[in-house]
Amino acid sequence: SLLPDDAWLRGVYGLALLPFALNPRWLHLMHHRAAWPARSRVVTELTAALIIVSLVRNRGDVLIVPFALLAGEVLGTAWSLWPVLARRELGPIRLHWNAVRPIVERAVPVVLYALLGLVVFNIDLIILRLTRSAQEAGFYAAAYALVGLLVNLGFAYFASLVPVLSRLRESAPELRANY
């Protein structure tokens, strides 16, 4: 079971979600700029991987991993936020619940699918953490960060292709044949 003495470690992992949530990738995608979120993801993953590879040398260094992930998320979000702020694309944020409600209702299955995907992708680490020590699980997570980098590079490539492919739907058949 999860030990109370590593609660602060889980807290740092949780903190990495804050810059992830603040990342304006949706704004880039809305303006058909898929390259920015893709680059942001690469910056995020490379930063975390470089810190982990550079600093984690033994079991005691495993505490560096959540901070490396947090640093990667902060840098990736800053990378993605920079052009949004330079273009002054963010104005006052208001919630129009009547307009948002149908989108939220349609998004629930997608969000549940994404959460299930996260559980499936991390089930090995979850089981390891439940059966071994926090250090052993953290050491495994540090090594697995490189796998995460490669997987996210593939996702970034895919995310940058989707808008292009959706625009090609109405293009000439000879252009669509390439995809």
Side-chain angles (χ1 to χ4, degrees):
S1 67
L2 296 176
L3 302 173
D5 62 343
D6 62 300
W8 70 271
L9 192 60
R10 290 191 311 272
V12 175
Y13 274 110
L15 267 179
L17 295 175
L18 185 60
F20 181 80
L22 295 174
N23 191 313
R25 65 193 153 283
W26 53 271
L27 193 56
H28 291 295
L29 293 173
M30 183 177 75
H31 290 291
H32 304 286
R33 297 186 310 247
W36 277 102
R39 289 181 192 131
S40 170
R41 196 75 237 150
V42 170
V43 166
T44 298
E45 296 299 329
L46 278 177
T47 300
L50 286 173
I51 292 172
I52 290 167
V53 168
S54 299
L55 300 179
V56 176
R57 295 285 177 242
N58 60 48
R59 294 174 77 123
D61 296 337
V62 79
L63 301 175
I64 294 168
V65 175
F67 292 101
L69 298 175
L70 177 61
E73 288 296 343
V74 167
L75 263 166
T77 297
W79 175 272
S80 193
L81 197 56
W82 171 66
V84 170
L85 295 175
R87 291 184 177 106
R88 300 179 193 266
E89 291 176 332
L90 288 179
I93 298 174
R94 287 179 234 103
L95 178 64
H96 299 281
W97 183 244
N98 291 335
V100 172
R101 176 183 278 134
I103 297 169
V104 170
E105 289 170 354
R106 286 194 316 256
V108 168
V110 176
V111 170
L112 291 176
Y113 176 77
L115 290 174
L116 179 62
L118 285 172
V119 169
V120 168
F121 185 75
N122 291 299
I123 194 69
D124 52 348
L125 183 59
I126 293 168
I127 291 171
L128 185 62
R129 182 58 191 100
L130 293 173
T131 60
R132 302 287 184 188
S133 72
Q135 272 194 334
E136 290 173 301
F139 204 59
Y140 177 84
Y144 206 72
L146 297 176
V147 173
L149 167 68
L150 296 175
V151 167
N152 280 309
L153 287 176
F155 283 137
Y157 177 73
F158 174 75
S160 64
L161 274 182
V162 169
V164 172
L165 294 176
S166 66
R167 284 192 299 272
L168 280 178
R169 181 182 59 191
E170 297 169 12
S171 300
E174 52 273 2
L175 281 176
R176 289 196 313 258
N178 292 325
Y179 299 97

